[in-house]
C-alpha cells in the first residue's frame, strides 16, 4: 500500500516540526536503551538493566505513535532507520556479521510493524487504538529482542577466557530469582545471597532431620555425617568443574565461577556457535513476555496519544467516507 501523500490532504504530513519532535523522542529512548544495556553488560547492576528495559518500552510507545501521526512512507522508514542506528551507536566497536544481520532483521520487523498498523488504519472506518497496537507492538518487541540478543551475544569472545557477562551483571540477572522468596519455598535453604557452604549444610541438615533413623543419632555423629556430606558435595562439584571453587563466598559467585569454567571447556564446535545460541536464547526469553510488554507499551503510548490530541498536537478528522484519521495540526 502506498503510504505517500495523497491529494485528499488526509494522508499528507502537514507539520514537519512535529514529525521531527516525535522522531527525536524515539531516537532518545532508543539511544538510552542501548546506553544502559551497555553499562549493564560492562558493569552490571540490576538498575541499569531495568532502565534499559524502561527506555525500550518508551521507544515502543513512541514507535506506535509514529504509525498514527506520520503518513509518508519513506519518511517513517527513514525515522525508524535512524532510531535503530541510535540503539547501536555505542556498540560500533562490536560490529560483526552477526550484529549486522541482527540489526537488519530487527529493522525489517520494525518496518513490518509500521506497515501492518498503517494497513489497519487505511482499511478501517474508525480509529481503534488497541486493535492497531495489537498489530504493531508484537513486531516491535521482536525487533527489540533481536537487537538485545545480538548485542549481548557480541560480548562473547571465545578467544578470551573471561566470561562474556560480568560477575555483577550475572548477579543482577539471577538475584530476582530468590529476592521474591518463591524459589526458597520450593527449595528451602537455596539462597543465592548466602554462602555456598551454608546452602550445602542447610540441605544436608534437612535430609538428616527428614530421615527417622538418622534423626535419632547423637549430635556428635550428626555433625560428623554433616561434615562428610559437605565435603563430598564439594569434591563432586570441583570434580565436575575441573578446578578449585570458593565455597565460602556467595552461592551466586560459586555458580558464576562454575559456569565460566564449564563454558570454556565446551567442545570447539559448540563454543564457536555460542554467540548465535545466546542471541537466540535472549530473543526467545524476551518474546515469551510479549503479551505483558505489549500491554505496558500500549498503555504508555495511549496516554501520550490522548495527551497529544488534547493539547492540539494532533487531531482526529473525518474523510469523505466518514472514516476517522489522525493528523498533525
Amino acid at each position: 500500500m502506498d503510504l505517500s501523500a495523497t491529494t485528499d490532504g488526509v494522508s499528507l504530513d502537514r507539520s514537519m516540526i512535529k514529525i521531527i519532535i516525535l522522531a527525536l523522542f524515539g531516537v532518545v529512548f532508543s539511544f538510552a536503551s542501548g546506553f544502559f544495556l551497555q553499562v549493564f553488560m560492562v558493569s552490571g547492576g540490576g538498575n541499569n538493566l531495568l532502565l534499559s528495559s524502561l527506555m525500550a518500552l518508551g521507544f515502543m510507545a513512541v514507535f506506535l505513535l509514529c504509525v498514527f501521526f506520520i503518513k509518508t512512507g519513506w519518511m517513517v522508514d527513514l525515522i525508524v532507520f535512524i532510531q535503530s542506528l541510535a540503539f547501536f551507536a555505542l556498540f560500533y566497536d562490536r560490529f560483526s556479521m552477526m550484529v549486522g544481520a541482527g540489526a537488519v532483521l530487527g529493522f525489517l520487523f520494525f518496518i513490518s510493524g509500521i506497515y501492518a498498523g498503517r494497513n489497519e488504519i487505511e482499511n478501517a472506518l474508525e480509529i481503534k487504538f488497541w486493535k492497531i497496537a495489537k498489530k504493531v507492538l508484537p513486531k516491535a518487541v521482536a525487533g527489540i529482542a533481536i537487537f538485545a540478543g545480538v548485542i549481548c551475544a557480541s560480548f562473547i569472545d571465545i578467544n578470551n577466557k573471561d566470561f562474556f557477562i560480568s560477575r555483577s551483571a550475572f548477579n543482577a540477572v539471577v538475584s530476582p530469582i530468590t529476592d521474591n522468596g518463591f524459589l526458597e519455598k520450593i527449595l528451602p535453604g537455596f539462597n543465592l545471597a548466602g554462602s555456598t557452604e551454608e546452602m550445602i549444610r542447610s540441605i544436608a541438615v534437612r535430609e538428616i532431620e527428614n530421615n527417622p533413623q538418622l534423626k535419632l543419632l547423637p549430635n556428635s555423629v550428626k555433625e560428623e555425617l554433616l561434615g562428610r556430606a559437605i565435603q563430598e558435595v564439594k569434591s563432586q562439584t570441583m570434580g565436575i568443574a575441573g578446578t578449585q571453587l570458593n565455597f565460602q563466598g556467595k552461592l551466586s559467585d560459586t555458580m558464576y565461577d562454575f559456569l565460566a569454567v564449564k563454558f570454556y571447556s565446551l567442545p570447539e564446535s559448540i563454543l564457536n556457535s555460542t554467540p548465535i545460541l545466546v542471541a537466540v536464547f535472549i530473543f526467545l526469553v524476551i518474546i515469551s513476555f510479549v503479551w505483558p510488554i505489549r500491554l505496558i507499551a500500549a498503555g504508555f503510548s495511549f496516554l501520550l496519544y490522548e495527551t497529544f490530541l488534547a493539547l492540539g498536537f494532533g487531531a482526529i478528522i473525518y474523510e469523505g467516507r466518514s472514516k476517522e484519521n489522525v493528523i498533525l495540526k
Side-chain angles (χ1 to χ4, degrees):
M1 177 176 293
D2 183 11
L3 301 183
S4 60
T6 62
T7 56
D8 60 7
V10 174
S11 297
L12 181 65
D13 287 311
R14 302 182 179 184
S15 176
M16 187 59 65
I17 293 178
K18 292 179 181 179
I19 289 174
I20 293 174
I21 292 173
L22 197 59
L24 285 177
F25 270 110
V27 169
V28 169
F29 278 121
S30 180
F31 178 83
S33 180
F35 170 79
F36 287 113
L37 180 60
Q38 183 195 50
V39 175
F40 169 74
M41 291 301 297
V42 173
S43 306
N47 289 338
N48 293 317
L49 182 60
L50 176 62
L51 287 171
S52 178
S53 301
L54 291 175
M55 294 302 103
L57 287 171
F59 165 75
M60 286 185 280
V62 175
F63 178 85
L64 179 56
L65 292 181
C66 291
V67 175
F68 292 99
F69 290 118
I70 303 176
K71 311 302 180 184
T72 308
W74 68 265
M75 192 177 296
V76 73
D77 291 348
L78 178 61
I79 289 171
V80 172
F81 177 72
I82 295 173
Q83 290 170 346
S84 299
L85 286 181
F87 181 88
F88 287 94
L90 297 176
F91 301 102
Y92 64 90
D93 58 334
R94 297 190 174 276
F95 183 81
S96 65
M97 184 72 72
M98 180 188 67
V99 173
V104 172
L105 188 58
F107 171 72
L108 291 177
F109 266 102
F110 288 153
I111 293 300
S112 67
I114 290 287
Y115 280 84
R118 292 301 305 154
N119 285 333
E120 181 65 31
I121 292 175
E122 292 295 325
N123 295 326
L125 295 177
E126 183 181 357
I127 298 294
K128 296 182 179 179
F129 182 91
W130 296 98
K131 185 176 181 180
I132 295 167
K134 189 176 181 180
K135 295 275 188 178
V136 175
L137 288 178
K139 292 180 172 62
V141 174
I144 288 291
I146 293 172
F147 283 3
V150 296
I151 286 300
C152 292
S154 71
F155 280 80
I156 299 175
D157 183 1
I158 59 177
N159 298 316
N160 189 337
K161 293 306 179 182
D162 291 334
F163 204 23
F164 64 89
I165 183 173
S166 67
R167 189 181 298 273
S168 55
F170 176 81
N171 287 333
V173 171
V174 300
S175 60
I177 298 175
T178 54
D179 285 349
N180 56 22
F182 178 74
L183 184 60
E184 197 162 1
K185 293 179 181 178
I186 302 175
L187 299 172
F190 193 89
N191 181 10
L192 293 173
S195 75
T196 305
E197 186 161 341
E198 287 176 356
M199 186 273 293
I200 297 173
R201 182 180 179 85
S202 176
I203 294 175
V205 168
R206 190 173 68 254
E207 290 297 321
I208 291 176
E209 294 299 322
N210 291 337
N211 189 313
Q213 295 179 338
L214 296 179
K215 189 176 181 179
L216 298 175
L217 294 174
N219 290 335
S220 58
V221 177
K222 289 182 182 179
E223 285 297 323
E224 184 178 352
L225 288 175
L226 280 174
R228 291 179 182 177
I230 292 171
Q231 189 57 44
E232 183 177 353
V233 172
K234 287 182 180 179
S235 299
Q236 290 178 350
T237 305
M238 287 188 293
I240 296 173
T243 187
Q244 292 289 327
L245 295 172
N246 179 19
F247 293 94
Q248 303 303 318
K250 294 193 301 182
L251 175 58
S252 59
D253 287 336
T254 305
M255 290 172 59
Y256 179 86
D257 294 335
F258 179 86
L259 290 173
V261 171
K262 297 306 293 181
F263 176 77
Y264 284 104
S265 65
L266 291 171
E268 187 174 350
S269 58
I270 297 177
L271 198 58
N272 290 334
S273 302
T274 301
I276 295 177
L277 295 176
V278 169
V280 171
F281 174 75
I282 293 174
F283 170 80
L284 294 176
V285 169
I286 296 176
I287 284 297
S288 66
F289 293 99
V290 65
W291 185 76
I293 293 174
R294 174 174 65 83
L295 287 182
I296 296 172
F300 181 34
S301 185
F302 183 72
L303 290 176
L304 291 175
Y305 174 80
E306 291 293 333
T307 301
F308 285 171
L309 294 180
L311 295 177
F313 187 87
I316 294 177
I317 65 171
Y318 287 89
E319 299 183 17
R321 57 185 175 126
S322 299
K323 174 184 177 296
E324 286 186 350
N325 211 323
V326 183
I327 63 169
L328 294 172
K329 297 176 64 178

